[in-house]
Amino acid sequence: MIDLSPLVRRLAGTPLYAWAQTLQAQLDAKMEKGHGDLERWQGALNALPDILPSRVDLKNDFILHAECDEATGQQTRAALMGLSPWRKGPFDVFGVHIDTEWRSDWKWSRVSPHLDLVGKRILDVGCGNGYYQWRMLGAGADSVIGVDPNWLFFCQFQAMQRYLPDLPAWHLPFALEDLPARLEGFDTVFSMGVLYHRKSPIDHLLALKDCLVKGGELVLETMVVEGDVHQVLVPEDRYSQMRNVWFLPSVPALELWLRRAGFVDVRCVDVSTTTIEEQRSTEWMRYQSLSDFLDPNDHSKTMEGLPAPRRAVIVGRKA
Ligand SMILES: C[S@@+](CC[C@H](N)C(=O)[O-])C[C@H]1O[C@@H](n2cnc3c(N)ncnc32)[C@H](O)[C@@H]1O
């Protein structure tokens, strides 16, 4: 059982306290239903050795330091491998380098310079395995709650939390839709890599706004296309082999969506094309990756002939 009482204590005196008190029952019910692989992943978590980090770096990278012998290193590596595939990272755990599919540190270095997270109570929607949650703490956040319905990512988060039990980061295996309406308690809400999976993007923006305090900041990262305020790509079928991609707006269209959803001071702080160096197969993620999803003769197109993945980071404030 995962004990959420430290989270409840942390949220005492905030607008999120009433919600926090309901979370243990919601989590226990969800864990009760579980997932077919949960027992195997739990086995991998149990196989992690007990090690006390001598130093933790979350500001510049994710690195846990400790002196450990070769056998302990091997044990750590085998247990973490048992939680493959690893998509977001990298993580350095007592000398074991988890070379994840994504260089999420590159994305973080594009996003973080535009934000002041010091002392902020943060919600990360679609947090994956929690990589950014740790980096947000490294940037001075007060506390970070991540929600993501994927059970493997939840277990990968538990692997890191095992070595950082006192840090104010929590991962809840829930979808954004599982949160109550009008939480209105977070200073900053992140939604990175989620909007293009939503059939109703404006509803997603409204739901994110509902989680923020008045004046709170939204950090939205999503795939975009080039073009003016009237341009939005809706793929006929797959996009970059993904079946669940719905809306890829231009940056001006996306900014308009945010304004219509009630955000002010909306601005785009970064646009970048995703490269095959940033997203690739590794020994920790052995399935196909970006280079397999692009036109082999022209990397400016996906294999479906659509513009290759390009991502924008937009920030805005709840009015
Ligand atoms: C492309 S990944 C992005 C992960 C991470 N935020 C990043 O930027 O690297 C999208 C994530 O959103 C999660 N997700 C999908 N639908 C969601 C929902 N309705 N609520 C919360 N998370 C969701 C998926 O499980 C997945 O981990």
Side-chain angles (χ1 to χ4, degrees):
M1 174 186 149
I2 290 171
D3 174 16
L4 292 181
S5 53
L7 171 60
V8 179
R9 283 197 295 278
R10 188 83 185 190
L11 294 180
T14 78
L16 299 171
Y17 188 51
W19 171 59
Q21 288 172 303
T22 66
L23 284 173
Q24 188 74 59
Q26 195 181 354
L27 176 64
D28 293 347
K30 186 113 195 195
M31 302 256 327
E32 183 78 26
K33 272 202 211 144
H35 178 282
D37 289 315
L38 213 46
E39 211 169 301
R40 179 164 61 84
W41 294 328
Q42 193 57 53
L45 286 171
N46 293 341
L48 282 167
D50 288 327
I51 303 173
L52 198 61
S54 56
R55 192 157 61 83
V56 173
D57 183 3
L58 301 175
K59 190 169 164 28
N60 303 309
D61 279 298
F62 180 105
I63 308 180
L64 304 181
H65 300 266
E67 286 297 319
C68 60
D69 59 33
E70 202 177 321
T72 310
Q74 295 291 358
Q75 188 185 341
T76 308
R77 186 184 165 80
L80 292 171
M81 248 324 160
L83 295 170
S84 293
W86 286 82
R87 294 197 182 267
K88 310 296 166 148
F91 296 91
D92 219 301
V93 183
F94 312 123
V96 176
H97 183 71
I98 305 180
D99 187 14
T100 49
E101 177 189 17
W102 282 86
R103 291 297 307 260
S104 310
D105 50 336
W106 294 4
K107 190 197 281 192
W108 188 242
S109 68
R110 294 193 294 266
V111 175
S112 59
H114 307 285
L115 309 174
D116 177 5
L117 299 182
V118 175
K120 300 283 165 61
R121 196 163 53 240
I122 298 178
L123 175 68
D124 186 5
V125 173
C127 64
N129 63 23
Y131 175 79
Y132 298 108
Q133 292 181 250
W134 303 114
R135 300 300 308 274
M136 289 170 201
L137 290 181
D142 167 80
S143 50
V144 190
I145 296 175
V147 292
D148 195 303
N150 182 299
W151 282 110
L152 173 60
F153 301 160
F154 173 74
C155 292
Q156 290 175 347
F157 177 87
Q158 305 306 327
M160 301 306 148
Q161 199 191 32
R162 179 195 172 116
Y163 296 114
L164 300 166
D166 299 328
L167 291 193
W170 291 271
H171 187 303
L172 303 172
F174 304 151
L176 175 61
E177 304 76 68
D178 296 330
L179 306 190
R182 306 192 75 79
L183 269 179
E184 299 182 337
F186 291 97
D187 304 308
T188 309
V189 170
F190 284 79
S191 166
M192 301 196 288
V194 180
L195 187 91
Y196 53 83
H197 290 313
R198 305 306 301 162
K199 287 183 194 165
S200 180
I202 305 284
D203 284 339
H204 182 65
L205 294 176
L206 293 171
L208 297 169
K209 192 179 73 168
D210 252 13
C211 298
L212 281 166
V213 297
K214 199 169 175 338
E217 188 167 53
L218 172 68
V219 183
L220 182 83
E221 192 255 7
T222 192
M223 287 199 283
V224 292
V225 290
E226 288 188 67
D228 65 19
V229 73
H230 304 295
Q231 298 283 324
V232 180
L233 169 69
V234 180
E236 184 79 41
D237 186 19
R238 294 188 184 204
Y239 174 82
S240 207
Q241 282 299 287
M242 290 180 278
R243 288 183 189 284
N244 57 351
V245 172
W246 293 93
F247 290 88
L248 306 186
S250 67
V251 169
L254 184 56
E255 289 172 341
L256 173 62
W257 291 0
L258 263 82
R259 291 195 300 274
R260 283 295 306 270
F263 291 95
V264 293
D265 300 337
V266 173
R267 60 191 208 283
C268 176
V269 298
D270 185 74
V271 178
S272 65
T273 299
T274 309
T275 65
I276 57 171
E277 287 77 38
E278 183 167 355
Q279 185 191 6
R280 75 276 191 260
S281 310
T282 70
E283 62 168 333
W284 294 84
M285 199 304 289
R286 293 172 186 271
Y287 302 112
Q288 290 188 321
S289 190
L290 183 60
S291 64
D292 305 294
F293 308 145
L294 296 177
D295 179 336
N297 301 313
D298 179 2
H299 275 188
S300 72
K301 292 192 188 127
T302 66
M303 59 190 289
E304 300 86 7
L306 297 168
R310 190 177 159 80
R311 291 176 157 79
V313 181
I314 312 276
V315 296
R317 235 172 8 86
K318 178 173 172 173

